């Protein structure tokens, strides 16, 4: 993985604190500034970054470091706690029968994620089925079908039907035997109100336990508006971050989680069906800040 | 020093610039301009303004804003050329390869481009150099059918360079003006796939390489534009999904790091949803919130 110079200036300022037991106001300000930079370069929303850095600054100045703790470790612990507070734990995914619908912008990785998640559930001993309701994108049916063949999971789609709501309904019936129904939808964005109406109808037809917003790790500040709209329309219970095998840090997902009051569920790390991981806060936060294992440190303090 | 009509002139000091520059930096970040790019532009403005004098009637903030407008326009206007004219003048067939990361809209942009060319009186053939992704052949074939264009495609797993090569031969034999070569999406961190892209570039020797990225992209736009330009030098970029309510600061990042022009905007999923890029329009919309 390319860990570019991002975070290196943060590491630099932190190293300057080595050996110090007390933080001066200037120390705190310098570090908070570096944290701001890291978060902004990770695509976290500007206003959210300002909020976060304000509370980090406040705590760093007000709280006494526990005995024997260096100033450096103390501030890192505060940063870690604030970040954990925001991202929370991985979305709870019970290993039981359920329906999960995927939504998101064009090209964000929904169809690939649908097959990956089905593969994941099948490895957990459940019987999944993917229902492809995208009647718009050319080749969407074939893409999902081929991905499901690779994942060795059940697939439903109807290349001759034009009504996604009908496919959704019929797909649920046809895959009745499956434990977990994963419903793929066509790509759409916040401004396409007719398509937003459409996904509401699909959601009514399949009545999912969970709606996941699939976000490209590289999405910028627009993540906020997109997350708001999808949340208003269908309610977002979790976020999937795709394409984390690149250099993008996925800060847009943090914004989305903050907007929707949800959490992150899965991470996509490649194009094959096995390239899926459950979200784990520590690794994600460390990546956002371009730093090593913060959890370990925070536990030590 | 020039004599002013105003009663007096005020020298601009570094402190006067701090506030306005900070506001503008935040505005640029909110528009998805990459941080280092934004800072370098603002540094230039700072250096050029310190010690200058201003009329009493102008505020420093206004002057900084104007300077930024010009600086942004400078960056985004880089290398603009008359795309249509270049194609008309070039020896036929003109081979254009589309590159970019996964899911940004390469294949759709090719479909739009073949329609655009048709309107310019140029015929084109599509070549599916994406022999990798599930459903890639079916997707581009459907576009070709919808538009009634010839498509050259091989089996999945085939050599992408060979597909494009075949399309060039087809174009030569059938007097087709332009070959539009698709490539599989790939992340710039994948060394194997970036090497494959280099190979395609070497073997096919395209007349033009267009880098496709999306308007909703954030800070990472810089990294990928740089890496793709290194692997297969680009002539220009297409910015898709401009309809998705983003400010499109990625355009600035891409133009800044590659020095290559943004040529087209994708504004929807229909075949007509592609426009020539207008630098001034983008800059105005980037700074709109501040005005
Ligand atoms: N490298 C990488 N590529 C991914 C990942 N997830 C998806 N992709 C690729 O991203 C592109 C888009 O993925 P799709 O699954 O088609 O996205 P989608 O959201 O279904 O797209 P639409 O249906 O058109 O809205 C494809 O090239 C996928 O192979 C990932 O985690 N890593
Ligand atoms: N809203 C909008 N959607 C677009 C635009 N351009 C492409 N899309 C959609 O984005 C999704 C991905 O487009 P593709 O053309 O498959 O992207 P690609 O870069 O070829 O993807 P891979 O080959 O998988 O890397 C599709 O759903 C397209 O319809 C655009 O300008 N606006
Ligand atoms: Mg899809
Ligand atoms: Mg494609």
């Amino acid at each position: 993985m390319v860990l570019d110079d991002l975070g290196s200036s943060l590491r630099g300022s932190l190293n300057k604190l080595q050996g110090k037991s007390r933080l001066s106001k200037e120390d705190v300000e310098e570090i908070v500034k570096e944290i701001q930079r890291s978060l902004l370069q990770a695509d976290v929303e500007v206003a959210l970054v300002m909020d976060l850095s304000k509370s980090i600054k406040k705590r760093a100045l007000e709280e006494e470091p526990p005995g024997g703790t260096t100033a450096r470790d103390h501030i890192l612990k505060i940063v870690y706690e604030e970040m954990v507070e925001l991202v929370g734990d991985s979305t709870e995914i019970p290993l039981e029968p359920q329906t999960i619908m995927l939504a998101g912008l064009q090209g964000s990785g929904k169809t690939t994620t649908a097959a990956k998640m089905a593969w994941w559930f099948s490895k957990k001993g459940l019987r999944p089925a993917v229902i492809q309701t995208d009647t718009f994108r050319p080749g969407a049916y074939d893409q999902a079908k081929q991905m499901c063949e690779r994942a060795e999971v059940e697939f439903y789609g109807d290349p001759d039907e034009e009504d996604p709501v009908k496919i959704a309904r019929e797909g649920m019936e046809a895959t009745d035997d499956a434990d977990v129904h994963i419903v793929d939808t066509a790509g759409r964005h916040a401004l396409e109100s007719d398509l937003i109406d459409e996904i509401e109808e699909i959601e009514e037809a399949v009545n999912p336990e969970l709606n996941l917003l699939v976000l490209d790790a590289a999405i910028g500040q627009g993540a906020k508006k997109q997350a708001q709209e999808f949340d208003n329309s269908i309610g977002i219970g979790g976020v999937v971050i795709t394409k984390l095998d690149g250099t993008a840090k996925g800060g847009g997902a943090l914004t989305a989680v903050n907007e929707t009051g949800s959490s992150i569920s899965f991470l996509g790390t490649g194009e094959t069906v096995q390239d899926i991981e459950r979200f784990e806060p520590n690794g994600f936060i460390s990546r956002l800040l371009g730093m090593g294992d913060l959890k370990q440190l925070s536990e030590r303090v | 020093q020039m004599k002013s009509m105003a009663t007096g002139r005020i020298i601009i000091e570094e402190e006067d610039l701090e506030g306005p520059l900070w506001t503008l930096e935040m505005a640029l970040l909110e528009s998805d301009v990459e941080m280092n790019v934004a800072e370098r532009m603002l540094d230039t403005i700072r250096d050029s303004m310190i010690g200058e004098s201003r009329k009493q009637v102008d505020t420093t903030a206004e002057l900084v804003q104007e300077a930024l407008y010009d600086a942004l326009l400078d960056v985004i206007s880089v290398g603009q050329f008359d795309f249509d004219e270049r194609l008309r003048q070039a020896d036929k067939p003109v081979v254009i390869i589309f590159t970019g990361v996964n899911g940004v809209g390469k294949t759709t942009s090719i479909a739009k481009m073949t329609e655009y060319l048709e309107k310019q009186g140029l015929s084109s053939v599509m070549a599916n150099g994406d022999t990798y992704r599930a459903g890639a052949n079916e997707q581009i074939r459907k576009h070709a059918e919808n538009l009634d264009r010839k498509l050259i495609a091989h089996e999945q797993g085939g050599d992408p360079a060979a597909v494009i090569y075949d399309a060039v031969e087809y174009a030569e034999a059938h007097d087709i003006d332009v070959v539009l070569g698709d490539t599989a999406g790939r992340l710039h961190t994948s060394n194997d796939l970036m090497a494959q892209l280099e190979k395609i570039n070497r073997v096919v020797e395209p007349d033009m390489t267009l880098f496709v990225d999306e308007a909703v992209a954030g800070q990472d736009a810089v990294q990928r534009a740089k890496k793709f330009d290194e692997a297969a030098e680009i002539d220009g970029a297409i910015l898709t999904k401009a309809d998705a309510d983003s400010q499109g600061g990625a355009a600035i990042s891409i133009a800044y790091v590659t020095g290559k022009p943004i040529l087209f905007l994708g504004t929807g999923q229909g075949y007509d949803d592609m426009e020539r890029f207008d630098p001034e329009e983008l800059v105005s919309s980037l700074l709109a919130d501040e005005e």
Side-chain angles (χ1 to χ4, degrees):
Chain A
M1 186 143 318
V2 187
L3 258 192
D4 38 43
D5 40 36
L6 199 139
S8 64
S9 48
L10 176 56
R11 272 194 297 273
S13 333
L14 284 164
N15 287 341
K16 273 194 250 157
L17 298 183
Q18 209 87 47
K20 276 200 185 183
S21 60
R22 202 152 261 293
L23 291 173
S24 70
K25 193 152 184 265
E26 291 74 48
D27 291 337
V28 171
E29 250 151 35
E30 186 181 334
I31 288 181
V32 168
K33 200 152 170 246
E34 295 297 346
I35 290 165
Q36 273 179 4
R37 293 177 64 86
S38 293
L39 293 173
L40 289 168
Q41 288 190 295
D43 290 313
V44 182
E45 196 238 343
V46 174
L48 181 55
V49 171
M50 296 308 149
D51 283 353
L52 254 175
S53 42
K54 209 183 285 168
S55 32
I56 291 170
K57 190 163 155 185
K58 185 158 181 283
R59 283 188 57 189
L61 287 172
E62 284 174 2
E63 288 175 20
E64 277 295 311
T69 311
T70 63
R72 177 179 176 277
D73 288 356
H74 183 229
I75 194 156
L76 277 174
K77 177 173 183 286
I78 293 172
V79 171
Y80 183 71
E81 284 172 359
E82 289 292 319
M83 298 291 291
V84 166
E85 165 94 10
L86 184 59
V87 291
D89 276 330
S90 187
T91 314
E92 203 182 318
I93 311 271
L95 294 177
E96 56 189 44
Q98 60 190 300
T99 300
I100 301 177
M101 184 171 84
L102 303 183
L105 281 160
Q106 286 90 353
S108 61
K110 295 172 294 301
T111 304
T112 310
T113 301
K116 286 176 176 179
M117 281 176 60
W119 179 84
W120 184 86
F121 276 111
S122 76
K123 290 295 152 214
K124 298 283 175 197
L126 287 154
R127 193 175 149 190
V130 170
I131 300 169
Q132 170 61 294
T133 67
D134 183 355
T135 55
F136 182 81
R137 171 173 160 170
Y141 169 87
D142 305 272
Q143 181 192 9
K145 186 161 182 276
Q146 288 169 28
M147 289 301 287
C148 286
E149 275 159 18
R150 292 178 194 175
E152 298 178 355
V153 296
E154 190 180 351
F155 168 75
Y156 180 88
D158 184 350
D160 302 319
E161 176 56 56
E162 280 174 12
D163 179 5
V165 183
K166 192 159 170 232
I167 297 181
R169 204 176 296 119
E170 288 175 355
M172 289 297 284
E173 279 166 28
T175 58
D176 196 32
D177 286 347
D179 301 318
V180 180
H181 296 89
I182 300 168
V183 182
D184 187 18
T185 60
R188 70 200 75 220
H189 62 70
L191 298 185
E192 296 172 304
S193 55
D194 46 338
L195 294 182
I196 296 290
D197 292 347
E198 179 195 272
I199 200 170
E200 286 174 12
E201 286 177 46
I202 299 173
E203 114 111 359
E204 243 168 73
V206 301
N207 192 23
E209 270 76 25
L210 179 65
N211 292 321
L212 294 178
L213 178 65
V214 180
L215 280 187
D216 190 317
I219 192 170
Q221 301 284 318
K224 180 176 181 173
K225 176 82 181 276
Q226 300 296 337
Q228 275 171 352
E229 285 300 319
F230 278 102
D231 195 35
N232 285 343
S233 127
I234 52 172
I236 294 301
V239 174
V240 178
I241 317 175
T242 63
K243 309 180 201 175
L244 273 168
D245 42 325
T247 45
K249 300 292 184 290
L254 203 69
T255 313
V257 159
N258 187 51
E259 282 310 310
T260 58
S262 69
S263 50
I264 303 170
S265 54
F266 289 99
L267 309 178
T269 56
E271 292 193 69
T272 68
V273 292
Q274 292 95 336
D275 295 326
I276 179 166
E277 292 167 19
R278 279 286 267 151
F279 172 70
E280 182 273 310
N282 184 37
F284 181 70
I285 294 169
S286 303
R287 180 189 167 98
L288 268 188
L289 295 169
M291 313 229 339
D293 192 335
L294 285 174
K295 181 168 179 227
Q296 212 184 12
L297 180 134
S298 149
E299 276 164 2
R300 208 174 61 219
V301 170
Chain B
Q1 286 289 321
M2 163 181 115
K3 280 213 176 72
S4 163
M5 313 271 279
T7 40
R9 294 183 71 94
I10 298 165
I11 300 291
I12 299 175
E13 315 262 1
E14 187 158 8
E15 303 86 81
D16 307 329
L17 291 169
E18 236 162 67
L21 286 173
W22 167 259
T23 311
L24 284 176
E25 182 174 356
M26 290 305 115
L28 290 177
L29 288 170
E30 280 168 2
S31 304
D32 288 322
V33 177
E34 200 262 347
M35 179 184 271
N36 293 307
V37 172
E39 287 181 347
R40 266 180 261 163
M41 295 184 73
L42 293 171
D43 281 348
T44 315
I45 292 173
R46 178 188 292 111
D47 291 347
S48 70
M49 289 182 77
I50 293 177
E52 290 291 305
S53 63
R54 66 168 168 86
K55 288 188 215 152
Q56 247 165 357
V57 289
D58 298 326
T59 68
T60 308
E62 279 163 1
L63 292 176
V64 174
Q65 164 109 12
E66 276 166 31
L68 180 61
Y69 183 96
D70 293 340
L72 286 170
L73 195 59
D74 243 24
V75 168
I76 198 70
S77 306
V78 67
Q80 285 286 339
F81 61 86
D82 188 337
F83 180 81
D84 305 352
E85 190 54 27
R86 187 178 291 190
L87 289 198
R88 270 194 292 272
Q89 299 297 330
D91 287 340
K92 307 293 183 313
V94 184
V95 181
I96 309 180
I97 303 286
F98 291 68
T99 64
V101 300
N102 306 81
V104 288
K106 296 174 290 300
T107 306
T108 310
S109 296
I110 285 179
K112 292 172 179 177
M113 185 62 84
T114 175
E115 191 66 358
Y116 178 88
L117 294 176
E118 191 76 7
K119 290 194 178 126
Q120 312 291 317
L122 293 164
S123 57
S124 55
V125 53
M126 300 155 87
N128 187 20
D130 182 354
T131 53
Y132 180 72
R133 182 170 56 69
N137 264 341
E138 289 84 353
Q139 181 187 13
I140 196 167
R141 174 157 300 123
K142 189 81 206 327
H143 282 308
E145 276 169 24
N146 289 349
L147 295 162
D148 198 19
R149 291 298 129 70
K150 175 72 183 174
L151 169 74
I152 305 291
H154 291 183
E155 294 277 288
Q156 207 174 50
D159 175 12
V163 184
I164 298 166
Y165 199 79
D166 278 3
V168 175
E169 291 202 320
Y170 178 90
E172 278 165 355
H174 295 82
D175 239 357
I176 305 268
D177 299 318
V178 183
V179 174
L180 300 171
D182 202 355
T183 58
R186 67 203 73 213
L187 291 178
H188 47 290
T189 44
S190 163
N191 295 333
D192 293 358
L193 292 175
M194 291 310 278
Q196 185 202 55
L197 194 64
E198 270 173 47
K199 185 195 155 198
I200 297 173
N201 194 47
R202 213 168 41 236
V203 175
V204 176
E205 292 187 328
D207 299 291
M208 213 186 267
T209 298
L210 296 181
F211 172 68
V212 184
D213 207 336
E214 48 188 28
V216 290
Q219 302 279 307
D220 199 42
V222 155
Q223 287 291 333
R224 50 212 213 183
K226 219 184 334 192
K227 295 286 189 245
F228 273 83
D229 193 28
E230 279 165 21
E233 194 184 345
I234 70 174
D235 294 278
I238 299 181
L239 205 65
T240 62
K241 307 180 196 174
D243 50 317
D245 190 40
S246 74
Q247 302 273 28
I252 301 284
S253 311
I254 295 167
Y256 190 93
V257 294
T258 64
K260 305 292 165 52
I262 312 287
L263 296 171
F264 290 93
L265 275 189
T267 56
Q269 301 188 82
Y271 296 123
D272 289 329
D273 295 330
M274 191 174 77
E275 298 169 4
R276 290 301 309 274
F277 176 74
D278 179 352
E280 287 187 30
E281 207 172 291
L282 181 102
V283 175
S284 303
S285 92
L286 277 183
L287 294 176
D289 293 344
E290 300 305 306
E291 274 163 15

